[in-house]
Amino acid sequence: MSLCAVKPDEAGAGDSFPVAENLCTIVSNDWVNEEYRLLIVDAPAIALAAKAGQFFHLMCPPDGESGNFLRRPMSIHRIDREQGQLHFLYKVQGSGTRGLATLGQGDTLDALGPVGQGFTLPRGTQHVVMIGRGVGLATLAPLAQEAVAAGAKVTAILSARMASLLMAEDALRSDGAEVVIVTDDVGNSDTTSLEALLRRVHADRPIDFVATCGSKRLTRLLQDFSTEFGIAGQVALEQRMGCALGMCFACVMPFRNTAADGTRTVGYRRVCWDGPVFNLEETVL
Ligand SMILES: Cc1cc2nc3c(=O)[nH]c(=O)nc-3n(C[C@H](O)[C@H](O)[C@H](O)COP(=O)(O)OP(=O)(O)OC[C@H]3O[C@@H](n4cnc5c(N)ncnc54)[C@H](O)[C@@H]3O)c2cc1C
Ligand code: FES
C-alpha cells in the first residue's frame, strides 16, 4: 500500500511530481566495505520514476532500545527499472543507519519519495565531469547513467581516503563512464592535484557540465573551475532534515540570488524541497 501525495506548484520551485510512502521489500542489505552497506529493494512504479539527485526519506527501524522518530534522507544510488529495484549506498553512522543495517531480505522498508529537485543536464551536453568523495559517490552514479543515455561522455573522478573505501567504481565503468581514482594515501586527492587533473581533462576534451557531492572542498574547487571556464555545474547538498517535504524549514541554507539587473542578495532556501541539487554559482559554503 502506498499513500500518494502531489507536490503543489510553487513559483520557482520546479515541476510537480508524485511523492509516495512506498512500502518496499528488501532484496539484500550487505556490507560493501568496512563503512558502507548496499541496500537493494523491490520498489513500486512511483519510486522507480525517481531522477538522478532526488532522494528518499527512510523510516529506520529502532537501533536496540532507542527508536528513530525522524526519517533519514538517503540518495538514490541506482535505479534499475528493468529489475524494478532501487539501490541505496549508505554509511553506518548513528542510530538511524544502524537501525537500517538490521533490515534483512524479505523485510519491509518504508521509503517516502522520491523527494526533491534532481540534476538537470543542459540539452546537448557533450562531456560531463563529476567528482565525488565518500558517500557523494552514491549520489552521482545515477547522473552518469542519465548522461551516458543522453549521449554524453562521462568522466567520473572518485576520491577517498584509501582505495578500499572506494565505491561505485564498477557500476560507473559498466554504465560507460571513464573512471579516475584519487586517494589521500597516494597523495593525489588534494585540491592542487585535482585542479591540474581537471585542466588536463578539459584540454583533452572540453567539459560542458560539472557535478559534485560529498565535500565542501571539492565544491569550492568546482565553483572556481567552472567560473573560470564558464562551465555549467551543480552540487547535491546534504543537510539535517525533519519533514523532507518543505514544511518544517529545518533544512534551510543561504544561497546567492541574482536579480535581473545583476544585483546580488543572499536568501534562504530549503535543501529538501528547493534542492538538494543546486547550481554551483548560487551555493554558499
Ligand atoms: C539529500 C540527502 C541525501 C543523502 N544521501 C546519503 C546517501 O546516499 N548515503 C549516506 O550514507 N548518507 C546520505 N545522507 C546522509 C544521511 O542522511 C545521514 O548519514 C543519516 O541521516 C545519519 O543518520 P544516523 O541516525 O545514522 O546518524 P546520526 O546519529 O543522526 O548522525 C551521525 C553522524 O552523521 C552526521 N549526519 C547526520 N545527518 C547528516 C546529514 N543529513 N548530512 C550529513 N551528515 C549527517 C551527524 O552530524 C553525525 O556526525 C544524505 C543526506 C541528505 C540530506
Ligand atoms: S526538512 Fe522540513 S522543510 Fe526541509
Side-chain angles (χ1 to χ4, degrees), residues 64-100:
E65 294 292 299
S66 65
N68 288 302
F69 177 68
L70 290 174
R71 290 169 180 262
R72 301 297 196 274
M74 212 56 76
S75 299
I76 306 148
H77 173 51
R78 191 170 191 84
I79 308 153
D80 186 341
R81 295 195 177 91
E82 268 178 34
Q83 298 287 326
Q85 293 176 342
L86 286 177
H87 297 206
F88 299 95
L89 189 59
Y90 66 99
K91 185 173 184 176
V92 179
Q93 305 217 59
S95 163
T97 45
R98 280 198 304 268
L100 209 54

Short mmCIF file of all heavy atoms in Angstrom, two decimals, residues 64-100:
data_model
loop_
_atom_site.label_atom_id
_atom_site.label_comp_id
_atom_site.label_asym_id
_atom_site.label_seq_id
_atom_site.Cartn_x
_atom_site.Cartn_y
_atom_site.Cartn_z
N GLY A 64 18.48 -1.05 18.73
CA GLY A 64 18.45 -1.51 20.11
C GLY A 64 17.25 -0.92 20.82
O GLY A 64 16.13 -0.99 20.34
N GLU A 65 17.49 -0.26 21.97
CA GLU A 65 16.41 0.29 22.81
C GLU A 65 15.79 1.54 22.18
O GLU A 65 14.61 1.80 22.30
CB GLU A 65 16.96 0.67 24.19
CG GLU A 65 17.44 -0.51 25.02
CD GLU A 65 16.28 -1.40 25.44
OE1 GLU A 65 15.39 -0.90 26.14
OE2 GLU A 65 16.26 -2.59 25.04
N SER A 66 16.65 2.35 21.48
CA SER A 66 16.17 3.67 21.06
C SER A 66 15.44 3.59 19.72
O SER A 66 15.92 2.99 18.76
CB SER A 66 17.34 4.64 20.95
OG SER A 66 18.21 4.21 19.94
N GLY A 67 14.26 4.25 19.66
CA GLY A 67 13.52 4.32 18.41
C GLY A 67 14.05 5.46 17.56
O GLY A 67 14.77 6.33 18.06
N ASN A 68 13.72 5.45 16.28
CA ASN A 68 14.13 6.55 15.40
C ASN A 68 12.87 7.25 14.93
O ASN A 68 12.25 6.82 13.95
CB ASN A 68 14.95 6.01 14.22
CG ASN A 68 16.32 5.58 14.66
OD1 ASN A 68 17.08 6.37 15.21
ND2 ASN A 68 16.65 4.31 14.45
N PHE A 69 12.48 8.31 15.64
CA PHE A 69 11.24 9.01 15.34
C PHE A 69 11.32 9.67 13.96
O PHE A 69 10.41 9.57 13.16
CB PHE A 69 10.96 10.05 16.42
CG PHE A 69 9.75 10.88 16.16
CD1 PHE A 69 8.48 10.32 16.19
CD2 PHE A 69 9.87 12.23 15.87
CE1 PHE A 69 7.35 11.08 15.93
CE2 PHE A 69 8.75 13.00 15.60
CZ PHE A 69 7.49 12.43 15.64
N LEU A 70 12.45 10.35 13.70
CA LEU A 70 12.59 11.04 12.41
C LEU A 70 13.12 10.09 11.34
O LEU A 70 13.98 9.26 11.61
CB LEU A 70 13.56 12.22 12.55
CG LEU A 70 13.08 13.40 13.37
CD1 LEU A 70 14.21 14.42 13.54
CD2 LEU A 70 11.87 14.07 12.71
N ARG A 71 12.61 10.28 10.12
CA ARG A 71 13.17 9.54 8.99
C ARG A 71 14.56 10.07 8.68
O ARG A 71 14.94 11.15 9.14
CB ARG A 71 12.26 9.72 7.76
CG ARG A 71 10.92 9.03 7.88
CD ARG A 71 9.99 9.47 6.77
NE ARG A 71 8.71 8.80 6.90
CZ ARG A 71 8.34 7.72 6.21
NH1 ARG A 71 9.16 7.21 5.31
NH2 ARG A 71 7.17 7.15 6.39
N ARG A 72 15.33 9.33 7.86
CA ARG A 72 16.68 9.77 7.46
C ARG A 72 16.73 9.88 5.93
O ARG A 72 16.29 8.95 5.22
CB ARG A 72 17.74 8.76 7.92
CG ARG A 72 17.79 8.51 9.43
CD ARG A 72 18.15 9.76 10.21
NE ARG A 72 18.55 9.48 11.57
CZ ARG A 72 17.75 9.35 12.63
NH1 ARG A 72 16.43 9.43 12.46
NH2 ARG A 72 18.25 9.13 13.84
N PRO A 73 17.25 11.03 5.41
CA PRO A 73 17.33 11.20 3.95
C PRO A 73 18.43 10.34 3.34
O PRO A 73 19.52 10.24 3.88
CB PRO A 73 17.66 12.69 3.79
CG PRO A 73 18.30 13.11 5.06
CD PRO A 73 17.80 12.19 6.15
N MET A 74 18.15 9.72 2.20
CA MET A 74 19.13 8.87 1.54
C MET A 74 18.99 9.01 0.02
O MET A 74 17.90 8.83 -0.51
CB MET A 74 18.88 7.41 1.96
CG MET A 74 20.09 6.54 2.03
SD MET A 74 21.39 7.18 3.11
CE MET A 74 20.77 6.82 4.75
N SER A 75 20.09 9.34 -0.64
CA SER A 75 20.06 9.48 -2.10
C SER A 75 19.83 8.14 -2.77
O SER A 75 20.17 7.10 -2.22
CB SER A 75 21.42 9.97 -2.62
OG SER A 75 21.72 11.19 -2.09
N ILE A 76 19.36 8.23 -4.00
CA ILE A 76 19.23 7.01 -4.80
C ILE A 76 20.60 6.74 -5.42
O ILE A 76 21.18 7.62 -6.03
CB ILE A 76 18.21 7.22 -5.92
CG1 ILE A 76 16.89 7.70 -5.32
CG2 ILE A 76 18.04 5.96 -6.75
CD1 ILE A 76 16.14 8.62 -6.23
N HIS A 77 21.08 5.54 -5.24
CA HIS A 77 22.38 5.18 -5.80
C HIS A 77 22.23 4.58 -7.19
O HIS A 77 23.06 4.77 -8.07
CB HIS A 77 23.08 4.20 -4.85
CG HIS A 77 24.35 3.64 -5.40
ND1 HIS A 77 25.34 4.44 -5.91
CD2 HIS A 77 24.78 2.36 -5.53
CE1 HIS A 77 26.34 3.68 -6.33
NE2 HIS A 77 26.01 2.42 -6.13
N ARG A 78 21.16 3.83 -7.38
CA ARG A 78 20.91 3.23 -8.70
C ARG A 78 19.42 2.98 -8.86
O ARG A 78 18.74 2.54 -7.92
CB ARG A 78 21.67 1.90 -8.81
CG ARG A 78 21.69 1.34 -10.20
CD ARG A 78 22.64 0.16 -10.35
NE ARG A 78 22.80 -0.17 -11.75
CZ ARG A 78 23.66 0.42 -12.56
NH1 ARG A 78 24.46 1.36 -12.09
NH2 ARG A 78 23.74 0.09 -13.83
N ILE A 79 18.92 3.29 -10.08
CA ILE A 79 17.52 3.00 -10.39
C ILE A 79 17.56 1.91 -11.45
O ILE A 79 18.00 2.16 -12.58
CB ILE A 79 16.81 4.25 -10.96
CG1 ILE A 79 17.01 5.46 -10.03
CG2 ILE A 79 15.32 3.97 -11.19
CD1 ILE A 79 16.95 6.79 -10.73
N ASP A 80 17.15 0.70 -11.08
CA ASP A 80 17.17 -0.42 -12.02
C ASP A 80 15.73 -0.70 -12.42
O ASP A 80 15.02 -1.49 -11.78
CB ASP A 80 17.83 -1.64 -11.34
CG ASP A 80 18.01 -2.79 -12.31
OD1 ASP A 80 17.34 -2.81 -13.37
OD2 ASP A 80 18.81 -3.70 -12.01
N ARG A 81 15.29 0.00 -13.48
CA ARG A 81 13.87 -0.10 -13.86
C ARG A 81 13.54 -1.47 -14.43
O ARG A 81 12.43 -1.95 -14.28
CB ARG A 81 13.50 1.02 -14.86
CG ARG A 81 13.63 2.39 -14.19
CD ARG A 81 12.96 3.52 -14.95
NE ARG A 81 13.10 4.75 -14.18
CZ ARG A 81 14.10 5.61 -14.31
NH1 ARG A 81 15.02 5.41 -15.21
NH2 ARG A 81 14.18 6.67 -13.54
N GLU A 82 14.54 -2.13 -15.07
CA GLU A 82 14.29 -3.47 -15.62
C GLU A 82 13.95 -4.46 -14.52
O GLU A 82 13.02 -5.25 -14.63
CB GLU A 82 15.53 -3.97 -16.36
CG GLU A 82 15.49 -3.63 -17.83
CD GLU A 82 16.74 -4.09 -18.55
OE1 GLU A 82 17.31 -5.13 -18.19
OE2 GLU A 82 17.14 -3.36 -19.48
N GLN A 83 14.74 -4.40 -13.42
CA GLN A 83 14.51 -5.33 -12.31
C GLN A 83 13.44 -4.80 -11.34
O GLN A 83 13.05 -5.50 -10.42
CB GLN A 83 15.81 -5.51 -11.50
CG GLN A 83 16.96 -6.11 -12.27
CD GLN A 83 16.76 -7.60 -12.53
OE1 GLN A 83 16.18 -8.30 -11.71
NE2 GLN A 83 17.17 -8.04 -13.70
N GLY A 84 13.05 -3.53 -11.51
CA GLY A 84 12.08 -2.93 -10.58
C GLY A 84 12.70 -2.68 -9.22
O GLY A 84 12.03 -2.83 -8.18
N GLN A 85 13.99 -2.31 -9.21
CA GLN A 85 14.70 -2.18 -7.93
C GLN A 85 15.37 -0.81 -7.76
O GLN A 85 15.80 -0.19 -8.74
CB GLN A 85 15.78 -3.25 -7.82
CG GLN A 85 15.20 -4.65 -7.71
CD GLN A 85 16.26 -5.74 -7.70
OE1 GLN A 85 17.40 -5.51 -8.10
NE2 GLN A 85 15.87 -6.92 -7.24
N LEU A 86 15.47 -0.38 -6.50
CA LEU A 86 16.25 0.80 -6.13
C LEU A 86 17.42 0.36 -5.27
O LEU A 86 17.28 -0.55 -4.45
CB LEU A 86 15.40 1.77 -5.30
CG LEU A 86 14.33 2.58 -6.01
CD1 LEU A 86 13.57 3.39 -4.97
CD2 LEU A 86 14.95 3.50 -7.06
N HIS A 87 18.57 1.04 -5.46
CA HIS A 87 19.74 0.75 -4.64
C HIS A 87 20.06 1.99 -3.80
O HIS A 87 20.04 3.11 -4.32
CB HIS A 87 20.97 0.47 -5.51
CG HIS A 87 20.84 -0.75 -6.37
ND1 HIS A 87 21.92 -1.46 -6.81
CD2 HIS A 87 19.76 -1.39 -6.90
CE1 HIS A 87 21.53 -2.48 -7.56
NE2 HIS A 87 20.22 -2.45 -7.63
N PHE A 88 20.38 1.79 -2.53
CA PHE A 88 20.88 2.85 -1.65
C PHE A 88 22.25 2.41 -1.14
O PHE A 88 22.42 1.24 -0.75
CB PHE A 88 19.96 3.07 -0.45
CG PHE A 88 18.56 3.48 -0.83
CD1 PHE A 88 17.55 2.53 -0.94
CD2 PHE A 88 18.25 4.81 -1.08
CE1 PHE A 88 16.25 2.90 -1.29
CE2 PHE A 88 16.96 5.19 -1.44
CZ PHE A 88 15.96 4.23 -1.54
N LEU A 89 23.20 3.34 -1.13
CA LEU A 89 24.53 3.05 -0.61
C LEU A 89 24.70 3.93 0.61
O LEU A 89 24.65 5.16 0.48
CB LEU A 89 25.56 3.39 -1.69
CG LEU A 89 27.00 2.98 -1.48
CD1 LEU A 89 27.14 1.48 -1.30
CD2 LEU A 89 27.82 3.42 -2.71
N TYR A 90 24.85 3.37 1.80
CA TYR A 90 24.83 4.23 2.99
C TYR A 90 25.95 3.88 3.96
O TYR A 90 26.37 2.74 4.09
CB TYR A 90 23.47 4.19 3.69
CG TYR A 90 23.10 2.84 4.29
CD1 TYR A 90 23.28 2.59 5.65
CD2 TYR A 90 22.57 1.84 3.49
CE1 TYR A 90 22.94 1.37 6.21
CE2 TYR A 90 22.23 0.61 4.04
CZ TYR A 90 22.41 0.38 5.40
OH TYR A 90 22.09 -0.83 5.94
N LYS A 91 26.39 4.97 4.63
CA LYS A 91 27.43 4.83 5.64
C LYS A 91 26.74 4.60 6.98
O LYS A 91 25.83 5.36 7.35
CB LYS A 91 28.26 6.10 5.69
CG LYS A 91 29.44 6.04 6.61
CD LYS A 91 30.29 7.28 6.45
CE LYS A 91 31.53 7.17 7.30
NZ LYS A 91 32.43 8.31 7.10
N VAL A 92 27.16 3.59 7.71
CA VAL A 92 26.57 3.33 9.02
C VAL A 92 27.23 4.29 10.02
O VAL A 92 28.42 4.20 10.29
CB VAL A 92 26.77 1.85 9.43
CG1 VAL A 92 26.17 1.59 10.81
CG2 VAL A 92 26.15 0.93 8.38
N GLN A 93 26.43 5.27 10.48
CA GLN A 93 26.99 6.38 11.27
C GLN A 93 26.44 6.43 12.68
O GLN A 93 27.16 6.55 13.64
CB GLN A 93 26.63 7.73 10.62
CG GLN A 93 27.02 7.87 9.22
CD GLN A 93 27.49 9.29 8.94
OE1 GLN A 93 28.44 9.76 9.57
NE2 GLN A 93 26.84 9.99 8.05
N GLY A 94 25.10 6.45 12.79
CA GLY A 94 24.47 6.66 14.09
C GLY A 94 23.25 5.76 14.21
O GLY A 94 23.11 4.75 13.51
N SER A 95 22.33 6.20 15.07
CA SER A 95 21.19 5.35 15.41
C SER A 95 20.34 4.97 14.19
O SER A 95 19.93 3.81 14.05
CB SER A 95 20.37 6.11 16.45
OG SER A 95 19.11 5.58 16.54
N GLY A 96 20.08 5.94 13.29
CA GLY A 96 19.21 5.67 12.14
C GLY A 96 19.82 4.65 11.20
O GLY A 96 19.17 3.67 10.81
N THR A 97 21.05 4.88 10.81
CA THR A 97 21.67 3.98 9.83
C THR A 97 22.04 2.64 10.48
O THR A 97 22.05 1.61 9.79
CB THR A 97 22.89 4.64 9.17
OG1 THR A 97 23.69 5.29 10.16
CG2 THR A 97 22.47 5.67 8.13
N ARG A 98 22.29 2.63 11.81
CA ARG A 98 22.49 1.33 12.47
C ARG A 98 21.19 0.54 12.45
O ARG A 98 21.17 -0.67 12.22
CB ARG A 98 22.98 1.51 13.91
CG ARG A 98 24.47 1.80 14.04
CD ARG A 98 24.98 1.53 15.45
NE ARG A 98 24.25 2.29 16.45
CZ ARG A 98 24.62 3.49 16.90
NH1 ARG A 98 25.71 4.08 16.43
NH2 ARG A 98 23.90 4.12 17.81
N GLY A 99 20.05 1.24 12.63
CA GLY A 99 18.73 0.58 12.55
C GLY A 99 18.49 0.04 11.15
O GLY A 99 18.01 -1.09 10.98
N LEU A 100 18.85 0.85 10.15
CA LEU A 100 18.68 0.43 8.74
C LEU A 100 19.47 -0.84 8.47
O LEU A 100 19.02 -1.73 7.73
CB LEU A 100 19.21 1.58 7.86
CG LEU A 100 18.62 1.78 6.47
CD1 LEU A 100 17.11 1.91 6.52
CD2 LEU A 100 19.24 3.02 5.84
#
